[in-house]
Amino acid sequence: MEYNRHELPKLADKLKTSRNLSKDEWIYLISNRTPELAEYLFSLAREERHRHYGHDVYIRGLIEFTNYCRNDCLYCGIRKSNSHAVRYRLTEEDILSCCRTGYESGFHTFVLQGGEDGYYTDEKLARMIRRIKSLYPDCALTLSVGERSCDSYRLLFEAGADRYLLRHETYNTRHYSMLHPPTLTAAARQECLWNLKKIGYQVGTGFMVGSPYQTAEHLAEDMLFIKELNPQMVGIGPFISHCRTPFADRESGALELTLFMLALLRLMLPRVLLPATTALGTIDPRGRELGILAGANVVMPNLSPADVRKDYMLYDNKLCTGEESAECRRSLEKRMESIGYHVITARGDSLN
Ligand code: SAM
């Protein structure tokens, strides 16, 4: 390796000019990061973000419409085997009412997220999508409902869905198998992402930072995969343990590493949409502001009915009562203004 620790900023500059690094360079940069290097990266990342998106922060209204899930991901609080989870699914009318509230307070993107719930057949989802799009034709509709067949993705796209969020979680096959049951594979997850892209969705992928067994090499592989996929959005957040999962005693991912990865993503894909996630806001009260200052440009307040929010508990202490909610838009705006950014209500399509 031609770099020594004192030359780390050179690697950051190389990333800025060539928009990519080799696997060894990614590993080196991630494993040898220092607070000074992080500050330097954040300033480069902000420059890129300002060039393409100015000081605007896009908002997405998140509707967590079902917490039933057929899967048993080892990290997730709504996994099938968590018999303590109080299960709910919103009706079509509930969901439309969330959209109405969101629209009235200025949201122009709705994100329908849920566990993989067999109740929501293609027909039910397509009908819902059509109703939302006919009532709010100026809004973008994002789905995040996990792995489905290519035909299903196509049908939902034809019904009017614009975007799809499906984190690849971790690119590495062995690491993937340590976080998921044998029924789920890294290859199948990635194939879904390629299918979604081919169909024409604006696609979001991503991963958890600091998930159990994760190494710098895994993160390097994630960066290489994301570069190749070239998605419109990348959602990353710290892994946070949940007391009713096999990873209950695992340490959560670090704020510092999550911010570092956000800045690397902004430099690798300057025009990508990058949310400062709820998980980031959960591990640190100023997590989302720090995420914006590291290059993120999206926040996703919760539009779900207040009484079910506590049941969409993916990890312990997930923010669900306060300022992450859509009702508190004004306080979110103030928080963003306090760091020199402003929330805007545009649809906010990706420039990538
Ligand atoms: N079922 C859909 C899917 O698989 O994409 C969407 C819902 S899933 C719960 C949404 C995301 O939550 C996952 O992609 C995962 O990265 C994140 N997540 C789940 N458990 C988590 C945890 N313990 N800590 C941080 N993020 C978590």
Side-chain angles (χ1 to χ4, degrees):
M1 174 70 53
E2 58 181 297
Y3 297 92
N4 65 42
R5 274 166 190 265
H6 303 294
E7 291 178 317
L8 278 170
K10 277 197 196 162
L11 259 189
D13 293 335
K14 180 174 176 193
L15 171 59
K16 187 185 149 136
T17 39
S18 63
R19 303 292 178 211
N20 208 358
L21 295 178
S22 69
K23 182 169 170 182
D24 283 347
E25 288 170 331
W26 281 122
I27 296 173
Y28 193 80
L29 197 56
I30 294 165
S31 335
N32 293 292
R33 67 188 185 281
T34 60
E36 296 73 38
L37 176 68
E39 282 308 323
Y40 181 56
L41 273 179
F42 298 159
S43 68
L44 295 181
R46 282 197 298 270
E47 251 174 50
E48 291 302 328
R49 178 251 203 259
H50 296 155
R51 187 185 333 276
H52 301 294
Y53 291 103
H55 287 67
D56 296 344
V57 176
Y58 295 129
I59 46 170
R60 314 317 195 182
L62 182 60
I63 304 171
E64 296 161 336
F65 71 101
T66 172
N67 71 353
Y68 282 88
C69 191
R70 68 165 70 95
N71 292 330
D72 230 357
C73 305
L74 276 73
Y75 46 82
C76 186
I78 61 167
R79 68 200 300 266
K80 169 177 75 176
S81 326
N82 180 8
S83 55
H84 290 83
V86 177
R87 304 287 170 175
Y88 73 89
R89 51 172 77 92
L90 300 185
T91 64
E92 200 170 297
E93 294 314 315
D94 292 334
I95 295 171
L96 288 171
S97 148
C98 297
C99 294
R100 191 176 321 117
T101 312
Y103 192 77
E104 281 164 5
S105 48
F107 285 85
H108 286 95
T109 291
F110 304 120
V111 181
L112 294 187
Q113 189 183 89
E116 290 194 16
D117 179 357
Y119 172 84
Y120 287 102
T121 57
D122 288 347
E123 291 64 35
K124 286 200 178 84
L125 277 179
R127 191 184 127 95
M128 178 126 72
I129 293 165
R130 278 193 291 270
R131 283 190 74 189
I132 296 173
K133 289 294 284 194
S134 70
L135 286 166
Y136 307 105
D138 52 336
C139 293
L141 187 57
T142 306
L143 297 178
S144 179
V145 287
E147 296 181 29
R148 301 175 82 93
S149 70
C150 193
D151 285 344
S152 168
Y153 287 149
R154 191 171 294 108
L155 191 135
L156 302 177
F157 184 72
E158 283 162 5
D162 305 280
R163 307 176 184 153
Y164 204 103
L165 304 180
L166 185 81
R167 291 181 174 183
H168 68 279
E169 309 295 1
T170 176
Y171 176 78
N172 184 279
T173 307
R174 259 177 51 79
H175 186 220
Y176 195 94
S177 70
M178 293 169 161
L179 304 180
H180 297 94
T183 44
L184 300 175
T185 65
R189 193 85 176 170
Q190 290 156 26
E191 193 187 339
C192 286
L193 283 161
W194 291 112
N195 285 339
L196 289 162
K197 254 206 126 179
K198 192 174 62 191
I199 291 166
Y201 283 94
Q202 297 171 41
V203 170
T205 190
F207 55 89
M208 287 178 293
V209 176
S211 59
Y213 316 108
Q214 187 180 64
T215 63
E217 183 172 3
H218 297 145
L219 289 171
E221 291 175 17
D222 290 327
M223 296 305 279
L224 293 172
F225 171 68
I226 292 173
K227 182 71 187 174
E228 189 191 347
L229 181 70
N230 194 23
Q232 280 78 26
M233 304 165 271
V234 180
I236 68 164
F239 157 75
I240 304 176
S241 63
H242 184 290
C243 60
R244 300 284 180 188
T245 65
F247 292 153
D249 297 326
R250 297 286 176 155
E251 220 175 281
S252 293
L255 171 73
E256 159 274 314
L257 179 56
T258 310
L259 298 174
F260 193 83
M261 297 308 299
L262 278 173
L264 293 181
L265 285 162
R266 171 60 67 209
L267 290 172
M268 181 173 80
L269 297 176
R271 294 161 195 261
V272 83
L273 291 169
L274 210 50
T277 54
T278 308
L280 198 53
T282 300
I283 52 162
D284 189 289
R286 286 197 72 233
R288 276 171 304 177
E289 287 92 318
L290 296 172
I292 298 290
L293 291 168
N297 65 333
V298 175
V299 285
M300 299 171 71
N302 200 323
L303 276 182
S304 312
D307 60 324
V308 300
R309 282 182 206 157
K310 63 183 182 322
D311 297 325
Y312 200 81
M313 204 45 76
L314 305 181
Y315 42 81
D316 292 338
N317 305 316
K318 177 170 170 266
L319 289 183
C320 69
T321 47
E323 290 186 354
E324 86 298 341
S325 66
E327 293 85 339
C328 295
R329 227 196 84 189
R330 186 61 208 130
S331 82
L332 180 69
E333 277 168 6
K334 276 201 195 135
R335 276 169 170 253
M336 294 298 138
E337 279 159 20
S338 76
I339 54 166
Y341 291 82
H342 38 257
V343 169
I344 60 158
T345 57
R347 243 177 80 116
D349 288 293
S350 180
L351 301 174
N352 195 42

